Amino acid sequence: MVRNLKNMMLRGFGLVCLFMVVNKAYAREFAVGGAKGWTVPSGSQVYSQWAEQSRFQIGDSLLFVYQPNQDSVLQVTRDAYDSCNTDAPTAKFADGKTSFALTSSGPYYFISGNKDNCKKNEKLVVIVMADRNKATSPPSPAPAPSGESAPSPPVTGTVEMTPAPMPTPSQETPNNNAASPSASFVAALLGAALASTLFLH
């Protein structure tokens, strides 16, 4: 009985490891500013244009590299972003190499901790796409009172959506944690092999 319990615990641990490997394989780390890092942008380097050309997913991360004694990164509200208000950030980072995990969908606002740098456009808005793995369905209409027929669902039009282009390799960290599709496949294959050996013994 104790041996069976140990085997079950080992199998469970193996499955957890498998899911962690597969999940991590799809996350990417984006280097903000590329080789120049987090700095006041030059005429051709504008963070908003860079962010618009990238697709950010839940689980991805942003890597801010900067001189810790000269700059910092503040996560702020939209109002603070628009006005370069450095007084009350949501989060402050000053270590010189900040990796920020994108944990939910929606907008993230970042500005330089140096107000003058922020006014020179050292600021970034990142929009994280919704998690497409979670199935959502529209709410069903309320039941009609007895004797009446149920209302028809509202008529909706066709919406055309143009997907954003995938980021080019130069937009991502060169030696990042992002795995290529083949590496993801290999990791999944190894995890499946591990899981199958645990369940077959």
Side-chain angles (χ1 to χ4, degrees):
M1 171 122 162
V2 172
R3 183 176 175 168
N4 285 340
L5 182 60
K6 286 181 181 178
N7 285 338
M8 286 176 46
M9 288 176 56
L10 187 60
R11 289 176 186 156
F13 178 72
L15 284 176
V16 168
C17 290
L18 169 68
F19 291 129
M20 288 173 53
V21 166
V22 171
N23 191 30
K24 183 67 175 168
Y26 292 105
R28 295 178 299 187
E29 185 172 66
F30 293 87
V32 177
K36 292 183 180 182
W38 179 242
T39 185
V40 174
S42 62
S44 64
Q45 179 194 20
V46 179
Y47 294 113
S48 59
Q49 291 172 345
W50 170 80
E52 288 171 2
Q53 295 173 357
S54 300
R55 286 183 143 181
F56 301 100
Q57 302 284 335
I58 295 171
D60 289 347
S61 60
L62 302 174
L63 180 64
F64 294 88
V65 179
Y66 50 93
Q67 295 294 322
N69 54 347
Q70 297 174 7
D71 208 348
S72 61
V73 179
L74 305 180
Q75 182 185 12
V76 295
T77 63
R78 180 177 181 161
D79 289 340
Y81 173 86
D82 291 337
S83 64
C84 286
N85 183 346
T86 59
D87 295 336
T90 306
K92 180 176 181 173
F93 308 97
D95 60 356
K97 192 172 183 181
T98 301
S99 182
F100 183 89
L102 302 170
T103 58
S104 61
S105 62
Y108 287 81
Y109 299 93
F110 300 96
I111 63 174
S112 170
N114 179 327
K115 193 170 194 160
D116 290 334
N117 288 1
C118 179
K119 289 182 178 183
K120 294 175 185 172
N121 284 328
E122 188 179 352
K123 57 186 186 174
L124 169 69
V125 178
V126 168
I127 308 294
V128 178
M129 298 172 62
D131 186 0
R132 296 195 183 259
N133 293 333
K134 294 183 179 179
T136 58
S137 58
S140 57
S146 60
E148 295 180 23
S149 62
S152 299
V155 177
T156 58
T158 304
V159 177
E160 291 187 32
M161 296 177 57
T162 305
M166 290 298 291
T168 62
S170 64
Q171 294 170 334
E172 298 178 23
T173 308
N175 294 321
N176 61 13
N177 295 334
S180 67
S182 60
S184 299
F185 177 74
V186 170
L189 200 59
L190 288 173
L194 173 67
S196 67
T197 59
L198 292 174
F199 283 112
L200 295 177
H201 293 160

